[in-house]
Amino acid sequence: MRASVFVLILLAASALPAAELRTHAERSAYRETGRYAEVESLCKQFEHSYPEQIRCFVFGTSPEGRPMWALAANANGVLTPEQTRQRGLPVVLFQGGIHAGEIDGKDAGFRVLRELLQQPQKLNPLRSQVMLFVPVFNVDGHERFAAWNRPNQRGPNEMGWRTTGQNFNLNRDYMKADAPEMQHMLDLVQAWDPLFYVDLHVTDGAQFRHDISVQVEPKYAGDPGLRAIGRTFQDGVLAELRRGGSLPLPYYPSFIENDNPASGFADSVSMPRFSSGYFLLRNRFGVLVETHSWKTYPQRVDATARSIRAMMGEVARNGSKWRQYALAADAAATKLGGQPVVLDYTTGPTFRPIEFLGYAYTRTPSEVSGGIMTRYDENIPAVWKLPLFDDIQPKLTRTAPAGGYLIPPTYAAQLGPKLARHGIEFITLRSPRTIAISEFRAESASFAKTPFESHQTLTVSGTWAAANAEIAAGSLFVPIAQAKARLVMALLEPEAPDSYLAWGLFNNHFERKEYMEDYVAEAVARAMLKDPAVKAEFERRIAEDKAFAESPQQRLDFFARRHASWDTRYRLYPIRRTETIIGP
């Protein structure tokens, strides 16, 4: 009798953690999601209940002082970055709540983790990988809790806010890393080196029947050897989702023309400001999961949970092999010097017709907005025949320097820590030297008229020109021969869409700082017109360029630019390239 009682007690004790580890969302039948305090509580409870398989830890502190919690999970107790590298295990990082109103990933991740820990050991995908789970990335935004933070989304009753306490959109911050939260995340990524980084979101947009989309890169971009793996991974995840009853999509379902279903969809390669475009530059896989906002919260959490399981299943079967391919891509990237590298992509004009599962809809004039209004009828399923533009083509290609990039001392203190946070290698020059370099001068420079994410962005076009220059001690040399060569170019090539220049870090160099008074310019012009070549060029411009001819300022600038007082550093990019490999 005593033995039987003891067995019953053991069974009850073993069942206890499962009951305790249910989320507030589960207990409320997914009408609600828990507040951030629940993340800390569950994190610690998971570790207490499964101390050999779970490690709960803080990887940063938010600007409002909240701890940023993460969980590492592995069936065999591999729970630190050092252990992971020693064992050669692939790491999959699942991130919830980067937009804290889109909170499906938090509740789905906790549910899947609990179910995996209860799963028989021999069937458990946690045996062959480390699951790194960040339930809420945007922790301060999560606590800006209200009922209408997501007006285009069904449930939960209340949720967090899209942006951080400093009003940063974290999913625009992977390259510039302004937000303290992003800096902590990049430190976490650098420590753990996840093979897959999975960003769990919810869409906005139209009403239709598809419930989830899964995008992955490399697929169209990045290391050629990894693209086939990206396609295989995506195909496998989508197939598993279909078997579970979902209607998944391999592209983001946002209409080309806002609010007009007939315009169709365009697949694309995201810019690296987004998670889905950033990790391909590190020779790792970025995955964007988007559940459909008009599905109910329990439906969305279920679809997210099944996507997490499907991804872990793919990694369980193939992750060790795929990790070796990623390491091979690292080695290949060290040899990109002198090779063309694509820095931006566009979607070509060709399309293929698709059948998209939507609802009946009408588009009629609106007496409110004065525009065209779309109304959907969810009681009438319909099949939309639409164009899908998925011909992805290079938009901007630049040849990588054979040596690397040179950052002057004036920017070393600012850029050195930023590069280090991305895991980019560089050295500081201890002595000056004169070497052959290339300089970039912008022929055009266009400042954005409104700020974006606290920056005035800048778009330039121009050319690199060979020169000799003295490189000062204290300069940083960033070699191209490193695993993150693509990331180096994406940050330091001036025309790259998310470069430091594009984000406005060097705007001063593209502003006029010294001027010639008009009455002085008039006298200078009259003296210069005595030169027949100058006179001929001036008259040609007047004859051929109407805007120039009609602008007194442009006409005077013609002469100011040719005068010895002209600022020779105007529109000169302060970072240089070199074909030489440099030592300290």
Side-chain angles (χ1 to χ4, degrees):
M1 179 65 76
R2 288 182 179 177
S4 300
V5 170
F6 182 67
V7 169
L8 288 172
I9 291 172
L10 284 178
L11 288 171
S14 66
L16 185 61
E20 292 175 344
L21 298 177
R22 293 175 70 233
T23 62
H24 179 79
E26 292 174 279
R27 293 195 299 272
S28 69
Y30 293 100
R31 290 187 298 275
E32 299 174 341
T33 189
R35 300 297 293 265
Y36 189 62
E38 181 191 37
V39 170
E40 178 176 355
S41 175
L42 281 173
C43 186
K44 292 177 178 179
Q45 288 176 36
F46 267 92
E47 184 179 62
H48 178 75
S49 300
Y50 298 96
E52 300 300 319
Q53 292 84 36
I54 294 287
R55 183 165 75 92
C56 168
F57 62 98
V58 172
F59 68 95
T61 302
S62 75
E64 293 181 3
R66 293 183 177 90
M68 300 175 70
W69 292 97
L71 297 89
N74 175 261
N76 299 315
V78 180
L79 301 175
T80 68
E82 296 75 20
Q83 292 171 334
T84 301
R85 284 191 289 273
Q86 289 168 4
R87 296 285 292 273
L89 289 181
V91 176
V92 184
L93 192 157
F94 293 95
Q95 169 190 282
I98 189 172
H99 297 151
E102 305 167 24
I103 204 57
D104 308 15
K106 176 189 71 173
D107 291 320
F110 275 125
R111 189 177 96 186
V112 170
L113 185 56
R114 184 190 68 235
E115 292 168 351
L116 289 175
L117 292 166
Q118 296 171 326
Q119 194 166 310
Q121 172 81 344
K122 66 179 180 179
L123 302 175
N124 199 328
L126 286 174
R127 293 177 63 198
S128 54
Q129 63 194 289
V130 175
M131 177 186 183
L132 198 59
F133 177 41
V134 177
V136 180
F137 184 8
N138 177 13
V139 299
D140 292 341
H142 187 281
E143 290 307 278
R144 188 177 167 183
F145 219 65
W148 286 101
N149 283 347
R150 291 279 293 164
N152 310 307
Q153 179 176 297
R154 285 180 174 149
N157 290 346
E158 296 179 293
M159 71 287 290
W161 187 252
R162 183 176 183 84
T163 55
T164 70
Q166 296 176 326
N167 215 35
F168 282 115
N169 184 338
L170 290 174
N171 204 26
R172 307 293 184 273
D173 200 37
Y174 281 86
M175 292 288 275
K176 59 186 178 66
D178 286 335
E181 296 95 330
M182 182 58 73
Q183 294 165 16
H184 298 317
M185 178 59 75
L186 291 178
D187 290 345
L188 185 73
V189 165
Q190 188 61 22
W192 286 86
D193 189 22
L195 180 64
F196 286 85
Y197 184 99
V198 184
D199 196 1
L200 303 168
H201 284 253
V202 183
T203 67
D204 289 307
Q207 291 174 287
F208 46 74
R209 287 182 279 161
H210 296 277
D211 58 334
I212 191 169
S213 68
V214 180
Q215 293 174 273
V216 61
E217 284 295 344
K219 175 186 172 182
Y220 297 120
D223 179 80
L226 298 182
R227 296 179 196 179
I229 295 172
R231 289 189 287 271
T232 298
F233 172 85
Q234 185 185 53
D235 290 345
V237 171
L238 295 178
E240 184 62 25
L241 285 168
R242 291 188 198 98
R243 284 190 285 270
S246 279
L247 299 170
L249 295 167
Y251 53 86
Y252 186 82
S254 179
F255 298 134
I256 293 172
E257 181 184 323
N258 184 50
D259 204 31
N260 182 7
S263 65
F265 303 104
D267 207 353
S268 63
V269 175
S270 296
M271 289 191 290
R273 67 184 61 173
F274 301 100
S275 66
S276 50
Y278 173 75
F279 283 88
L280 70 90
L281 300 176
R282 301 178 68 109
N283 307 314
R284 302 296 183 265
F285 296 91
V287 184
L288 176 64
V289 175
E290 296 267 2
T291 52
H292 184 37
S293 61
W294 290 106
K295 302 300 178 185
T296 65
Y297 194 51
Q299 288 174 317
R300 297 201 318 270
V301 171
D302 183 66
T304 303
R306 286 185 289 108
S307 76
I308 292 172
R309 276 190 165 273
M311 287 182 269
M312 294 188 71
E314 288 296 316
V315 175
R317 288 184 288 275
N318 302 294
S320 293
K321 175 178 63 179
W322 289 347
R323 182 174 176 272
Q324 293 306 310
Y325 278 101
L327 295 176
D330 287 346
T334 67
K335 301 174 183 177
L336 282 176
Q339 302 301 312
V341 175
V342 181
L343 298 174
D344 197 13
Y345 291 83
T346 189
T347 304
T350 60
F351 66 88
R352 55 189 176 95
I354 61 168
E355 292 188 343
F356 191 85
L357 302 180
Y359 297 104
Y361 68 91
T362 59
R363 282 175 55 79
T364 57
S366 166
E367 68 279 9
V368 177
S369 69
I372 300 297
M373 174 181 61
T374 305
R375 283 194 180 96
Y376 300 93
D377 187 343
E378 292 181 290
N379 295 311
I380 306 176
V383 177
W384 302 342
K385 296 187 177 181
L386 305 176
L388 172 63
F389 296 82
D390 60 356
D391 177 24
I392 310 300
Q393 298 290 338
K395 180 181 179 182
L396 176 69
T397 301
R398 292 291 178 265
T399 300
Y405 295 86
L406 290 157
I407 298 172
T410 46
Y411 287 101
Q414 179 184 5
L415 295 187
K418 289 179 178 289
L419 296 173
R421 183 149 266 136
H422 285 289
I424 290 172
E425 301 167 8
F426 59 88
I427 61 171
T428 302
L429 304 189
R430 295 193 293 264
S431 59
R433 71 227 34 210
T434 299
I435 61 171
I437 53 97
S438 294
E439 295 179 322
F440 179 90
R441 189 180 298 274
E443 294 158 6
S444 67
S446 176
F447 293 101
K449 291 182 171 52
T450 57
F452 178 61
E453 290 294 307
S454 81
H455 291 256
Q456 184 185 26
T457 56
L458 174 62
T459 303
V460 300
S461 64
T463 54
W464 291 95
N468 287 314
E470 182 171 313
I471 306 303
S475 297
L476 305 182
F477 173 62
V478 186
I480 202 67
Q482 58 178 296
K484 297 179 179 67
R486 288 184 177 84
L487 181 55
V488 168
M489 291 190 70
L491 287 167
L492 300 182
E493 275 296 318
E495 295 170 291
D498 277 329
S499 67
Y500 287 134
L501 180 145
W503 278 106
L505 270 66
F506 305 107
N507 281 2
N508 263 345
H509 296 270
F510 300 87
E511 301 171 11
R512 289 275 299 274
K513 301 294 185 177
E514 185 60 83
Y515 295 88
M516 182 181 288
E517 295 288 353
D518 287 354
Y519 72 89
V520 176
E522 284 278 357
V524 166
R526 294 176 191 283
M528 285 187 174
L529 283 170
K530 295 176 181 177
D531 184 327
V534 173
K535 186 173 186 293
E537 175 64 13
F538 181 64
E539 291 174 346
R540 184 190 67 78
R541 287 286 304 276
I542 290 175
E544 296 177 0
D545 187 339
K546 186 170 184 275
F548 176 85
E550 294 177 352
S551 170
Q553 192 59 57
Q554 287 189 46
R555 290 169 69 149
L556 290 178
D557 275 354
F558 174 90
F559 299 99
R561 288 171 182 270
R562 287 161 171 77
H563 193 263
S565 65
W566 181 254
D567 180 6
T568 58
R569 296 186 183 181
Y570 177 53
R571 290 186 173 178
L572 187 65
Y573 182 45
I575 294 176
R576 293 150 160 176
R577 291 168 43 129
T578 179
E579 305 304 305
T580 305
I581 298 172
I582 299 175

